[in-house]
Structure formats: C-alpha cells, structure tokens
Amino acid sequence: MSNTTKIVGAVAVLAAVGYGAYYFMNQKANDVMVEKVNAYLVKNNLQDKVKWEKSEASVAGTASFYNVTLVGDNPDETLKIQQLNVTDFNESEDGGSVALNFTGLSDHQGKSLFLGTAAGGVATEEGLESIGYDQSLPLLNGEVKSSYSKKANDLNNWVKLNQEQVFDVTFDLKALDTNNLVDTLLEKQDQIEDDPGALIAPLTPVKLSKLEIAFEDKGVLAKAKASGGAEEIKLEECQFGLAMMGVSEKANDICQSVIDFSNGTKKTIAFKANPAQPYPVINLMELGQGGMPDVNKLIEELNVTITN
C-alpha cells in the first residue's frame, strides 16, 4: 500500500470519527434542549399547547423546531409555524431571556393570517383580498428578543414581523420597575385571562423608558392606491386634524413624515417615544379620563418623534 493510499485512508477514518463525535454531541445537545423546553412547558402548564414534529440542536447553542403547532382553545385559534429557531433560552432566579426567529406562521389550515379566508386572521374579516392580495401571499416571518432582570428591575422586548409583499413592522420596548408585573404575568395567567383588570395594580409602578414602532412598506401602499383604498393625504388636512387634537408643536414635521410615507417618497416611518425621565405607564392608561389631555405636554414629556 502506498503512502498516499495510507494517508487518504487515515483522513477518511479521522473524518468518520469526527463526524460521529459531532453527531453525538449535537444529538446530546438536542436531548438537553428538548428536556429544557419540555420542563418549561410543564412548569407553565403549556405541555398540551405546543407541539412539534421534529427538533434538532447544535453544540453552538441553536435549537430548531419544525412544523410547530400552537394549540388554541378551538381550531380557529390554533396557529402553525413551519420552522422555529431558538438561539437563546435562559431562566434563573434573577430573570430570563429568549431570542428566537420563525418562518411560515399561518392559521390552522396553513393559510396567511392576513387573508380573510384565514380563520382567526389578524386583519379585518375581509382581509387583504380587498386590495388585491390572494392565496399566493407569503406566510409571516418574525424575530423576537426578550429579557427581564429582577436585579435591574427592567423588561426589554424587541419584535420584528416580516410580511413579504406587504410590510415589515418592528417594536422596541424598554420598561422599568417591572418585577411585580413580570411575576404576575408568570404566576397568575389564568386569573388574568378571567379578569384583565388584575393587571392594573402590577402596572401601576411600571415606567416607560423607550417605545419605538417602525414600519417599512413592501407593497401594501401601492396595492391600496391601485384598488382605490387609500386617499391622498394633504398637508393642510393633516395639520388641521392634529390641531383638532391639540397638537401644535412638531405638527409640520409629523405631517410631512406621514405624507412622505403615504405617497411612497419614503419607504419607512417610525414612531419613537424616548422620554428624558421614565414615564409612568398608568398615566397613559388614564388619558382622557379627566377631560381632553394636554397633547403638546404629553409629546414633550414622552419626547415623541415621527420620522422617516
């Protein structure tokens, strides 16, 4: 046997051993991951609400679930996900964090949530068919990053939803003094479902540190205009509407951003509230209870901007 043949044979054996070890470690990671997720589901009484056909994990820490079903109380409330990837999933006495992304979110029949034919759809009963969309509309994709810390007493949530041919929307939230709220959400889910008012007390100390909501048009505005479902926004009408709400400061900037987005000059629009001092959430919930709120003061205190 030549030296070359021996070397090739040795490399093949090493490759096979390496692959076997890699497969074993990944399989072990998958088993650990499944145990971890199942324990979380059982702890929160969700073991009958989340099911999947296949799972796999890597030693790098990523776990993937395929053909996931989120079981609702009735078929119309059941959702399906083609693939769910979890890149961070941690719980400790101090808090927790999760990071995941998903592709192919649909109703229980595998149809888009934005079409009226999708039972339990998130849009209007008629759905986006009214402005020209049909069954070829891609399914919803998304990404979530969430964390809370009891030591820091804060909560962070970042969510991006990607609906091709329609729009992308991103939510970015940071709240402070959230320990009581998080404990209530985790420990009293059944009570909250029966009585949402049970959230009032734990919400009282919560303060808003940041809230940003951004939209990126991916075709919905053109569809709406072509179908006659969107009227042109005029500067004077926008300014008058804001004036009727009591908005004077930043009115021109707000209107121009809205117009530039609606006519397609700009593809994005973002609402941002970044108060210099954390703002009590309970104040927002009580707006209008004592008469017309001072909108200009609210915009100033929340440091609100609407930009492209």
Side-chain angles (χ1 to χ4, degrees):
M1 182 181 294
S2 67
N3 287 336
T4 301
T5 302
K6 291 179 181 179
I7 292 172
V8 171
V11 170
V13 170
L14 289 174
V17 171
Y19 176 80
Y22 179 78
Y23 176 82
F24 172 77
M25 292 302 295
N26 280 340
Q27 184 60 46
K28 186 175 180 180
N30 181 65
D31 294 341
V32 171
M33 176 271 298
V34 171
E35 289 177 7
K36 190 175 183 180
V37 172
N38 279 330
Y40 176 84
L41 294 176
V42 171
K43 176 183 175 181
N44 292 278
N45 198 29
L46 296 171
Q47 64 271 25
D48 296 325
K49 297 292 185 179
V50 183
K51 303 179 183 297
W52 59 86
E53 292 183 3
K54 176 187 173 184
S55 67
E56 60 185 18
S58 72
V59 291
T62 299
S64 296
F65 299 82
Y66 300 91
N67 297 325
V68 179
T69 300
L70 307 178
V71 182
D73 292 334
N74 59 68
D76 285 354
E77 296 178 358
T78 294
L79 300 175
K80 291 186 175 182
I81 302 174
Q82 293 176 346
Q83 182 172 339
L84 174 65
N85 303 308
V86 182
T87 56
D88 177 35
F89 186 87
N90 288 295
E91 276 193 302
S92 68
E93 293 183 358
D94 178 54
S97 63
V98 62
L100 59 86
N101 60 79
F102 61 85
T103 56
L105 176 62
S106 69
D107 76 343
H108 70 289
Q109 296 177 323
K111 298 177 181 177
S112 170
L113 298 177
F114 289 94
L115 297 177
T117 53
V122 298
T124 62
E125 184 176 345
E126 186 177 8
L128 293 181
E129 296 98 328
S130 61
I131 57 173
Y133 289 96
D134 56 31
Q135 296 296 329
S136 65
L137 183 66
L139 298 179
L140 184 68
N141 303 322
E143 187 175 357
V144 177
K145 296 178 183 178
S146 181
S147 65
Y148 72 96
S149 168
K150 291 186 176 181
K151 183 177 180 180
N153 200 4
D154 67 1
L155 172 69
N156 295 275
N157 272 309
W158 182 90
V159 179
K160 181 176 182 179
L161 301 177
N162 160 238
Q163 178 56 68
E164 288 298 332
Q165 302 179 17
V166 184
F167 58 72
D168 284 357
V169 59
T170 304
F171 302 87
D172 192 359
L173 169 71
K174 180 172 183 177
L176 307 178
D177 298 328
T178 56
N179 282 352
N180 194 15
L181 175 63
V182 171
D183 288 342
T184 301
L185 290 172
L186 292 177
E187 299 170 5
K188 301 180 179 180
Q189 295 179 19
D190 293 338
Q191 180 182 342
I192 294 170
E193 289 180 6
D194 295 335
D195 178 22
L199 281 175
I200 298 298
L203 271 171
T204 300
V206 176
K207 296 180 178 63
L208 179 68
S209 177
K210 176 177 71 173
L211 173 63
E212 299 181 1
I213 305 174
F215 291 88
E216 180 181 354
D217 175 41
K218 290 199 165 183
V220 67
L221 291 178
K223 285 274 193 181
K225 290 175 184 177
S227 66
E231 296 182 2
E232 180 183 357
I233 299 176
K234 300 185 184 299
L235 181 61
E236 297 79 8
E237 294 175 350
C238 176
Q239 291 172 332
F240 178 77
L242 290 179
M244 292 296 292
M245 296 170 57
V247 179
S248 57
E249 299 179 14
K250 301 184 179 181
N252 288 341
D253 292 340
I254 291 173
C255 286
Q256 194 59 58
S257 294
V258 171
I259 290 171
D260 286 346
F261 178 69
S262 64
N263 65 20
T265 302
K266 300 290 179 65
K267 289 295 184 182
T268 61
I269 190 167
F271 167 92
K272 298 181 180 180
N274 293 288
Q277 299 295 326
Y279 191 85
V281 171
I282 196 69
N283 290 1
L284 295 173
M285 299 174 63
E286 294 175 348
L287 282 177
Q289 293 184 8
M292 184 68 180
D294 187 338
V295 181
N296 284 318
K297 181 181 178 182
L298 183 64
I299 289 175
E300 181 180 354
E301 290 179 341
L302 288 173
N303 189 24
V304 171
T305 60
I306 297 179
T307 62
N308 303 113

